[in-house]
Amino acid sequence: MKIDVSSMNITLLMIGQLLVATVLGVLNIPLPASLSTYLLVIFLSLILLAQKKSIKKSRHSAFKIYEVILCCTALTSFIFMGIGKYPLQKFLLFMYLIVVPILLLDLIFRSQQNLESLNKLKLYLNIVAYISIWWGMTLFVLGYGVSYEGTSRITLVGIDNPIWTSRYLGALVIALYFTAKNRYSPFFLCTVAVAFFIMIQTGTRGTFLALAAAIIISSGKKVISVRTFLVFLGAMMVLALLVFYVGGRLGLGGGDYSVIARTVSYQKAVEYISLQPLLGYGFGNYSIITTGVDERDYPHNLILEFGFEMGMLTCLIFLMYIFSRLKMKRKELDFIYALFVFHFVNSLFSGDIPGNNLLFISGYVLAIYYSFNTTKSKTI
């Protein structure tokens, strides 16, 4: 079978993080997983370009407008309002984790401007998801599950935080669910059970909420409306805090602390935003403004983070970006759509802007494939 290099590259950028990171961890190679993935994608892209000997002009400029605006806003905010050392680190991470992979995807799609490779992409996502989950279980059985900061929470070797181990696995489950030919086969069910088992060991709970939301929303036939979108945002926030609380009562990962920490962060962010809503306080300045300490900190909610650091106008642009992607719902793209929803729900209670890079990567892939052949759907 001839390998579709473009589809393989997209697969690596969307769900290849767990496999790449853990292989590097086992081999004790001191290279960041993202950098290694980029280098592999660039290498494969060069092979593809050498075969085709041409690069087509991009035809998807209209679908890059939100990414371009957000990037320019982040740059402007950093240059004119950045304080201390961390804003520079955060901006470099923003470029490294979000801008670079989008540029790589743009290069990939210049040599692939049709829907013919969609089935190949589904196949590769399915294969990589199965391999990654069973590879993760093998590492866990062999003792490559590492205790996080001396707690009972486990992360796989090569992955710094149990939250990321859980989120990577959650994305793999989404990929499996929407690409599997038979969801009732023993192998599929066993693989999902294995993924859930490792996710439970990480002590995280938000990933399960994001999984449920992604499957429910992506399985329906109708496109989300503005009203449904706003209700959905509120419901996810309430459910997230409830899940964290229940998890704490069950002894999973300090749920009580998670509820308190996030509630305080949300309240603090809203209070500061109300005092300076137009331009915000500057890209990467959350910690130094709220605590006086020049270090990494964030409100654990991407909407609040955009509003706090870059103002409510940029926050509105971000919400328009999310809503524009949620409108791109088509049956044949459900597996990409579900990954985007999964990462978006996670971003409402976990991670900062660079840390939610997979949200922007999946959103870009969804937009490009949607642009190949748009169809109308009913609105709920």
Side-chain angles (χ1 to χ4, degrees):
M1 180 180 68
K2 185 178 180 180
I3 295 178
D4 186 325
V5 177
S6 295
S7 298
M8 179 58 71
N9 280 338
I10 297 170
T11 299
L12 289 172
L13 289 171
M14 292 185 73
I15 65 167
Q17 294 77 20
L18 184 141
L19 189 60
V20 173
T22 51
V23 168
L24 291 172
V26 170
L27 297 177
N28 199 25
I29 299 175
L31 276 178
S34 296
L35 177 60
S36 302
T37 303
Y38 299 162
L39 292 174
L40 180 57
V41 168
I42 291 172
F43 174 73
L44 293 175
S45 297
L46 290 174
I47 294 177
L48 178 64
L49 292 175
Q51 294 173 346
K52 298 197 172 186
K53 297 183 174 62
S54 65
I55 300 178
K56 298 179 183 179
K57 182 179 179 181
S58 177
R59 298 186 292 125
H60 316 295
S61 300
F63 291 90
K64 304 173 189 174
I65 186 66
Y66 287 111
E67 287 89 346
V68 171
I69 293 174
L70 291 174
C71 183
C72 291
T73 305
L75 175 61
T76 303
S77 179
F78 161 67
I79 291 175
F80 292 102
M81 301 180 71
I83 303 172
K85 296 180 179 180
Y86 179 68
L88 174 59
Q89 297 175 17
K90 182 172 181 176
F91 184 74
L92 292 175
L93 285 172
F94 176 83
M95 298 297 292
Y96 169 63
L97 294 173
I98 296 176
V99 176
V100 170
I102 286 179
L103 290 175
L104 288 173
L105 285 168
D106 183 68
L107 178 63
I108 293 168
F109 281 112
R110 285 171 185 262
S111 60
Q112 175 180 295
Q113 298 193 0
N114 54 63
L115 278 169
E116 294 176 2
S117 62
L118 198 59
N119 288 333
K120 283 287 182 68
L121 178 60
K122 290 182 69 172
L123 175 63
Y124 292 165
L125 285 170
N126 183 272
I127 293 173
V128 171
Y130 271 119
I131 292 174
S132 297
I133 291 173
W134 285 104
W135 167 249
M137 187 60 183
T138 301
L139 293 178
F140 183 83
V141 171
L142 294 178
Y144 284 98
V146 183
S147 174
Y148 179 66
E149 296 183 347
T151 66
S152 60
R153 303 178 68 183
I154 299 298
T155 185
L156 294 177
V157 64
I159 304 176
D160 296 333
N161 194 303
I163 293 176
W164 290 112
T165 295
S166 181
R167 287 180 68 169
Y168 291 157
L169 284 165
L172 294 171
V173 171
I174 288 290
L176 274 187
Y177 183 85
F178 285 94
T179 61
K181 293 182 178 179
N182 182 4
R183 295 173 185 165
Y184 299 99
S185 71
F187 186 52
F188 171 82
L189 295 174
C190 187
T191 303
V192 172
V194 164
F196 283 174
F197 171 78
I198 303 175
M199 288 164 64
I200 292 172
Q201 307 310 306
T202 67
T204 60
R205 301 158 304 282
T207 306
F208 289 99
L209 171 62
L211 264 172
I215 291 174
I216 291 172
I217 293 174
S218 304
S219 297
K221 295 181 179 180
K222 296 181 180 180
V223 178
I224 193 169
S225 66
V226 174
R227 183 179 61 182
T228 307
F229 177 55
L230 296 176
V231 172
F232 168 69
L233 289 179
M236 287 301 101
M237 294 298 298
V238 173
L239 284 173
L241 293 176
L242 179 62
V243 168
F244 289 133
Y245 178 77
V246 172
R249 292 303 180 187
L250 296 175
L252 299 175
D256 290 335
Y257 171 76
S258 295
V259 172
I260 295 172
R262 281 166 172 76
T263 303
V264 171
S265 294
Y266 299 161
Q267 182 179 8
K268 186 189 300 183
V270 170
E271 289 176 356
Y272 274 92
I273 291 171
S274 67
L275 297 174
Q276 192 167 312
L278 186 59
L279 299 177
Y281 294 88
F283 188 80
N285 288 342
Y286 179 83
S287 178
I288 200 165
I289 294 297
T290 58
T291 67
V293 181
D294 186 13
E295 64 180 10
R296 184 191 183 203
D297 197 9
Y298 47 91
H300 294 276
N301 180 290
L302 225 55
I303 298 173
L304 293 178
E305 186 174 350
F306 272 105
F308 183 99
E309 296 191 349
M310 288 174 275
M312 290 307 297
L313 179 58
T314 303
C315 180
L316 178 60
I317 293 171
F318 172 68
L319 287 174
M320 291 171 63
Y321 162 76
I322 295 297
F323 184 66
S324 71
R325 297 304 186 261
L326 291 178
K327 296 283 287 184
M328 296 177 181
K329 190 173 186 181
R330 288 186 10 222
K331 176 61 179 175
E332 63 268 30
L333 301 179
D334 56 2
F335 61 103
I336 307 173
Y337 187 89
L339 283 169
F340 177 77
V341 175
F342 172 76
H343 292 305
F344 173 59
V345 174
N346 269 304
S347 77
L348 295 177
F349 46 78
S350 179
D352 58 0
I353 295 172
N356 280 288
N357 63 322
L358 293 176
L359 169 68
F360 299 96
I361 291 173
S362 58
Y364 190 80
V365 174
L366 174 64
I368 299 303
Y369 272 114
Y370 184 85
S371 72
F372 290 145
N373 182 25
T374 57
T375 57
K376 294 183 179 180
S377 300
K378 296 181 180 180
T379 300
I380 56 175

